[in-house]
Every structure is written in C-alpha cells, then in structure tokens.
C-alpha cells in the first residue's frame, strides 16, 4: 500500500525540509510505515526507509543494494534537464559507482583521508580556524554566522587539501554554490527554485578549472590531493578525464555544503541552548561529543538512494528486485528506538550512534576531515566566546538532498 498523500507530498516538497515539516512526516513513517512505498507525480516509484536499523542494514549490503543507476532522488524531468544542461556529459563520481569499480577508485585516495594523514594538515586548518574566529571578533558582536563563517571556512579547508590557491575562493564558492547550492525558500516559484543560468555555466567553468589543474599537477606534482588524483593510474593507465573530474567535483562539493551545514547547525544549537554552551565551556573535552551531536541533529545529507538487485527482505518486509530505496539519514538520526529524546540537542549524548555519514562501503570518505575541521574551529572559538544568542530568525535551505541553515543571525560577546 502506498503512503498517504499528505506524507508523500511532504517527502518530495523541498519547502518541508526548510520549515521542518519533514520531521513530522519521518515520525509518522517510522511509527506506521517504515519501508513505505511512495508514488509521487513525476518520480519513479520508491520505498522510503526511515528507521535507524533499516538504514544501517540496507547501507551495509552493497551488493544487494547498489548505488547505481540513480543515487539521488530526482524526477525524470530533472534527470533530463540535468543532462541537457551538461550537454549530455555525465561526470561519474564515487557515489554513483558500484563494485568492483567503486573499490578501485575509493582506494586511490582513501589513505589521504585517514586521520594519520590529516594530522599533517592540522596546523594549516588551525590557521584557517583562527582567521575565521578573528573575523567573528572583528564583526562587532553580531554576524550572520552562515554567510560570514560557516560557508567559507570548510571551503578554504577543502581548497587547502586539494592544493588550490586561496585567492580562488570567490570563484570556487560561486561554482560549488552554482552547482549544488541549496535553494533559499524565499526564492521559490511554485515550490521549485527558478531556473538559473549560472547552473549551466558552473559545470563547464568548473571543468575548465580542474582540467587546467590536472595538466599543471601532471607537469609539476606536489604532495597535495589534486596531484594524487591527477597522477592516479588504474591498470597502469591514467584515469579517464571525466572520472578525474568527478573526483575533484565530489571532493569540492561533498566536502563543502555538508560541513558548512553541520558547523552552522552547531552554532544554532548552542545559541539556543545556553545551558549546553555553559557545559561545553566548563569542559572542553565535550567538544568532540558536541560535534557528533551537531552532526546528528543537523544530518546535512538527508538521503541517498539504493536499488535492490534481488528480491529480499528487510525487517520482515518484502523488497522486490529493482525497488528504489530512499535512505533517510535525518529520520534514522531522530529514531526514538535509537535515541532518547531525539529532537533535543544534548552535547554529552552517549551513546551517539548516528548514521549521518552513512554506513557500509560508501561510508563518507571525508568523515575524519569533517570532524577534525569542526573540532578545530570550536577549539579556537570557545575559549573566546563568552555568550551567544540568536539575533533574528535563522533560515534553512530548501532541498531534499543536502540542506542546512542558510542564514543564522547571532549576537555574541567575545574576549
Ligand atoms: C559520502 C555525509 C563531509 C566526501 C557521504 C555519504 C554521506 C556523507 C551520508 C554517503 C554514505 C553512504 O552512502 O553510506 C557527510 C556529512 C558530512 C560530510 C554529513 C559533514 C558533516 C564530507 C567531507 C568530504 C566528504 C568533508 C571531503 C572531501 C565524501 C565522499 C563520499 C561521501 C568522497 C563518497 C564516498 C563513496 O561513495 O565511497 N558523505 N559528508 N564528505 N562523502 Fe561525505
């Protein structure tokens, strides 16, 4: 049986992700239809997976539930429009790949993202964090934390690991936002973002930028991640240009909006919960757990899709070969069967087995980086932050895929 129309409509309404209605729909689904079937106009039929245990179970079985052929929820019209806008060029990244290809390409850079390697970048990241904190201090006690801090700092970190010059930040910001930036709910026309010319040009500009980077790093390799990608070989051959491009693009985009959203979410939650802020300031060892809680609470990646390769069963319910499944991480992370008082932001939540980074073979490659950069930012900020509160209404972006705060006005006292 299909899920009721009001729940179906909420699931595919990007405004529901902005005004929070999505959480009521998730709650209803967890309680009443945790693997419900959705038949929404314009979309292929899909199953919506809302319980923590089921998201974990499906994610860990990568042969039974593949990422191909379509790993993000789009309407058929959106798929066609995207293809048209890219002139028929399909850039493939890790997230669209399955075994055996996926393992080969993931192994290429996996060592780079391990904590031991990231440690070598810590000084540079700390320098960027200090600058962000100084900028906050210089703002005279008020700022829009998202637009002045949370949007820039993670991008500068990603650019540092790729080895891109800092002066390219405005261009990269324009390109990553043009390609993947989530919509402002106030800009929607009939519930959808207006078509943007810059979307069309962003992909080509980004491709030209990264092609030049590949040429440069092949001629003059350095120790950065771009050099590793540009000079990588599979079966003794350089990887093809579109896959090389897919790698740069996934690093530049997956590493940006996600971490911006969880960083903004952390500040939002602290500004709303002075008791939690006081606890944190009294015991800096809680910064790590606070970061985990902010990532759970914001769950910036709302879903990825999987396709069943065989008839099977999950949690006693039949799944048919070909079923397209929406893994709702943000629902799993508010599952009352897993988390006590799941809507509350508790910096010392223990245990905190959230699934915001996914699970199984596609588990977020950048999770250690995301944790490290958020931790360093708050390590630098908290000793200087005496108090913080909201200074107006925050605003969440409107998107079914990656979303988070796009405006966060705060008022604060810093030393
Ligand atoms: C994959 C979340 C930060 C790079 C993923 C997935 C999720 C996710 C849910 C899919 C996992 C799955 O299918 O099981 C997040 C969140 C972040 C974050 C919530 C921040 C709070 C980053 C950063 C990078 C990154 C900083 C750095 C480059 C990637 C890549 C993949 C991925 C390359 C694809 C992995 C694969 O398919 O094998 N991320 N991510 N992410 N993420 Fe992240």
């Amino acid at each position: 049986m299909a899920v009721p129309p009001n729940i179906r409509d909420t699931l595919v309404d990007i405004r529901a992700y902005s005004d929070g209605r999505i959480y009521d729909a998730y709650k209803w689904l967890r309680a009443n239809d945790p693997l419900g079937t959705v038949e929404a106009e314009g979309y292929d039929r899909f199953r919506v997976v809302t319980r923590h245990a089921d998201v974990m179970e499906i994610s860990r079985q990568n042969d039974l539930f593949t990422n191909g052929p379509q790993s993000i929820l789009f309407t058929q019209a959106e798929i066609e429009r995207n293809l048209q806008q890219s002139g028929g060029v399909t850039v493939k990244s890790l997230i669209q790949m399955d075994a055996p290809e996926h393992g080969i390409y993931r192994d290429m850079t996996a060592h780079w993202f391990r904590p031991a390697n990231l440690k070598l970048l810590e000084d540079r990241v700390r320098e960027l964090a200090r600058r962000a904190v100084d900028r906050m201090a210089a703002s005279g006690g008020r700022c829009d934390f998202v637009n002045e801090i949370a949007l820039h700092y993670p991008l500068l970190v990603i650019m540092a690991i790729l080895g891109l010059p800092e002066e390219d930040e405005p261009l990269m910001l324009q390109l990553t936002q043009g390609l993947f930036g989530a919509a402002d709910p106030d800009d929607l026309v009939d519930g959808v973002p207006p078509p943007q010319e810059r979307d069309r040009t962003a992909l080509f500009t980004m491709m030209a930028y990264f092609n030049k980077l590949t040429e440069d790093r092949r001629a003059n390799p350095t120790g950065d991640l771009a050099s590793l990608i540009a000079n990588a070989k599979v079966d003794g051959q350089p990887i093809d240009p579109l896959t090389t491009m897919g790698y740069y693009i996934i690093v530049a985009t997956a590493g940006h909006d996600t971490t911006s959203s969880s960083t903004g979410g952390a500040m939002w939650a602290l500004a709303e919960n002075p008791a939690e802020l006081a606890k944190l300031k009294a015991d800096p060892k809680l910064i790590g757990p606070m970061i985990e809680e902010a990532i759970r609470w914001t769950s910036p990646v709302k879903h990825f899709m999987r396709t069943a390769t065989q008839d099977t069963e999950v949690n006693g319910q039949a799944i048919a070969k070909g079923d397209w499944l929406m893994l709702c991480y943000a629902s799993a992370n508010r599952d009352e069967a897993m988390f006590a008082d799941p809507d509350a932001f508790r910096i010392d939540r223990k245990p905190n087995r959230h699934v915001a980074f996914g699970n199984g073979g596609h588990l977020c490659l950048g999770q250690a980086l995301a944790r490290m950069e958020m931790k360093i930012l708050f390590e630098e900020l908290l000793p200087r932050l005496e108090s913080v509160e909201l200074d107006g209404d925050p605003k969440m972006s409107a998107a079914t895929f990656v979303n988070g705060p796009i405006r966060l006005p705060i008022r604060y006292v810093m030393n």
Side-chain angles (χ1 to χ4, degrees), residues 59 62 67 93-97 102 106 113 158 161 225 247 250-252 254-263 295 298-301 303-304 306 327 329 355-367 369-371 373-374:
S59 305
N62 299 105
N67 281 39
S93 77
L94 284 182
I95 211 77
Q96 282 98 26
M97 294 179 187
H102 174 253
R106 187 168 163 119
F113 287 98
I158 284 292
I161 69 159
L225 182 61
Y247 233 118
I250 196 166
V251 171
H256 184 209
D257 267 10
T258 49
T259 320
S260 296
S261 294
S262 52
T263 304
I295 294 171
T298 48
S299 293
V301 178
H303 82 268
F304 267 115
R306 297 288 193 267
L327 304 180
Y329 303 113
V355 68
F357 290 117
N359 184 37
H362 287 273
L363 177 69
C364 176
L365 194 58
Q367 60 167 334
L369 175 63
R371 287 183 167 118
E373 64 183 271
M374 285 182 70

Side-chain angles (χ1 to χ4, degrees), residues 100-309:
E101 190 186 27
H102 174 253
I104 296 169
Y105 285 95
R106 187 168 163 119
D107 287 351
M108 246 169 58
T109 59
H111 62 281
W112 231 88
F113 287 98
R114 289 204 186 104
N117 188 59
L118 295 176
K119 197 130 190 64
L120 306 173
L121 299 161
E122 216 181 285
D123 288 348
R124 173 81 181 119
V125 175
R126 197 168 291 281
E127 186 192 321
L128 293 170
R130 280 197 190 125
R131 268 171 33 201
V133 173
D134 285 345
R135 191 159 358 123
M136 236 180 111
S139 288
R142 306 176 101 126
C143 75
D144 174 347
F145 186 77
V146 168
N147 285 295
E148 287 167 51
I149 307 293
L151 209 53
H152 300 277
Y153 167 68
L155 183 59
L156 287 167
V157 171
I158 284 292
M159 291 179 62
I161 69 159
L162 275 169
L164 310 181
E166 217 178 301
E167 61 268 22
D168 289 354
E169 201 231 10
L171 175 67
M172 284 313 276
L173 187 62
Q174 186 197 336
L175 296 180
T176 59
Q177 293 303 292
L179 265 184
F180 290 102
D184 183 327
D186 294 335
D187 293 343
L188 304 182
V189 180
D190 296 330
V192 293
Q196 284 172 328
E197 188 56 33
R198 69 193 172 103
D199 284 354
R200 191 195 304 269
T201 52
L203 181 64
F204 293 109
T205 313
M206 198 179 243
M207 285 171 90
Y209 181 94
F210 283 130
N211 271 332
K212 197 167 157 292
L213 183 70
T214 303
E215 277 169 29
D216 181 69
R217 293 304 196 273
R218 284 188 179 155
N220 308 296
T222 64
D224 59 27
L225 182 61
S227 299
L228 178 63
I229 296 171
N231 294 291
K233 294 206 162 97
V234 170
D235 295 334
Q237 299 297 317
I239 56 176
D240 73 80
L242 282 180
T243 314
T244 311
M245 193 59 59
Y247 233 118
Y248 293 129
I249 292 181
I250 196 166
V251 171
T253 54
H256 184 209
D257 267 10
T258 49
T259 320
S260 296
S261 294
S262 52
T263 304
M267 179 55 86
W268 181 342
L270 291 173
E272 272 190 337
N273 294 281
E276 295 297 282
L277 177 64
K279 250 197 276 179
L280 189 59
K281 282 184 65 62
D283 182 2
K285 282 200 297 301
L286 288 173
I287 293 179
M290 183 281 283
I291 301 294
E292 290 310 313
E293 179 66 343
I295 294 171
R296 179 194 74 87
W297 192 71
T298 48
S299 293
V301 178
K302 294 294 175 291
H303 82 268
F304 267 115
M305 305 300 288
R306 297 288 193 267
T307 299
T309 56

